[in-house]
Amino acid sequence: MTGRDERVVRALVGAHGRTYAEEAGIGLKDAQQPLYRLLVLAHLLSARIKGSIAVASARALHEAGLRDPRRMAQAGWQERVDALGRGGYRRYDERTATQLGDGAGLLTERWGGDLRGLREEADGDIGELRRLLREFPGIGPAGADIFLREVQRVWPEVAPLLDAKALEGARRLGLPQAPGRLLALAGRIEPAVLAAALVRAAIDEHVAEDTLGRAEAT
């Protein structure tokens, strides 16, 4: 099945291998603002809402100038609600607006507004990274996993990471569910890109169907 599995992985990544940070217009690097924007995106994506709406809302917050913790904390609650609404994030907008303000305050007070301080505190311990991320209001296990899946691109100690949601996508595609085997099939594909593509297959049956159709056609 290795040949078939390799074709599926190539088809998946070729058509759907885009990280959520890329989709949200975040030029991810190990710097204060893009890391904060990724945290906000992870928060929004972790709710039971369409990924496209979460991404659009992350963009709307950025366009409203709420792109760093200081500006997020200083913005009025209604300003945050309005920005989320422009992105279509209406079901959870009021609670999320409060959580974003509180989370920005926590980040500023504890780590000087810079998630690299959180990284330093974790000192390479992924479990501790998860625990610290979950201290932010609205960031639960899913949100922490989303952040880590994406940040592994710039925080090498996190990589390679394929979490439970990515492995769910592998199962839907009939691929091995052992992370090591999936990474071997992916070859030089970045783990963050592979993980994002697998997650897309997990949450969208059309992605899975499209991928399998492309693999069969090669």
Side-chain angles (χ1 to χ4, degrees):
M1 293 292 288
T2 301
R4 178 265 182 194
D5 292 346
E6 288 178 345
R7 291 196 302 275
V8 171
V9 170
R10 285 198 302 270
L12 173 68
V13 173
H16 307 287
R18 187 183 188 195
T19 67
Y20 285 91
E22 288 173 330
E23 187 177 347
I26 301 171
L28 190 59
K29 55 185 177 179
D30 188 27
Q32 182 177 2
Q33 190 178 112
L35 289 172
Y36 177 67
R37 290 184 63 198
L38 177 60
L39 180 69
V40 171
L41 176 62
H43 183 159
L44 300 178
L45 283 168
S46 66
R48 292 183 178 180
I49 200 163
K50 286 185 177 180
S52 58
I53 293 176
V55 167
S57 299
R59 284 182 174 273
L61 289 166
H62 177 75
E63 290 163 3
L66 309 182
R67 59 195 66 170
D68 62 52
R70 179 183 61 81
R71 292 172 182 169
M72 185 70 79
Q74 290 178 349
W77 176 81
Q78 190 62 52
E79 186 178 352
R80 294 192 293 268
V81 169
D82 290 345
L84 290 167
R86 287 193 293 275
Y89 206 89
R90 295 187 177 87
R91 183 177 176 187
Y92 303 101
D93 54 352
E94 296 185 357
R95 181 180 66 182
T96 300
T98 299
Q99 291 171 337
L100 288 174
D102 292 344
L106 171 64
L107 180 57
T108 300
E109 292 166 13
R110 185 161 174 182
W111 293 292
D114 195 334
L115 283 162
R116 290 174 294 185
L118 179 149
R119 179 190 186 189
E120 184 176 347
E121 184 173 330
D123 194 25
D125 185 327
I126 307 307
E128 182 65 3
L129 267 178
R130 278 196 174 91
R131 187 190 71 77
L132 291 172
L133 287 166
R134 290 178 63 182
E135 291 191 17
F136 288 99
I139 299 286
D145 280 350
I146 293 166
F147 181 87
L148 292 173
R149 278 200 311 262
E150 298 272 324
V151 86
Q152 66 179 313
R153 225 174 185 179
V154 294
W155 287 1
E157 71 272 23
V158 178
L161 175 66
L162 299 177
D163 66 351
K165 183 60 72 173
L167 297 181
E168 182 182 325
R171 182 168 58 252
R172 172 171 272 186
L173 293 168
L175 292 170
Q177 291 160 56
R181 291 184 64 190
L182 285 168
L183 291 163
L185 288 168
R188 296 184 179 181
I189 297 167
E190 288 183 72
V193 172
L194 175 62
L198 288 169
V199 168
R200 293 178 190 278
I203 63 178
D204 188 340
E205 63 180 308
H206 298 297
V207 169
E209 291 170 357
D210 174 70
T211 296
L212 293 175
R214 289 171 184 269
E216 290 173 4
T218 59

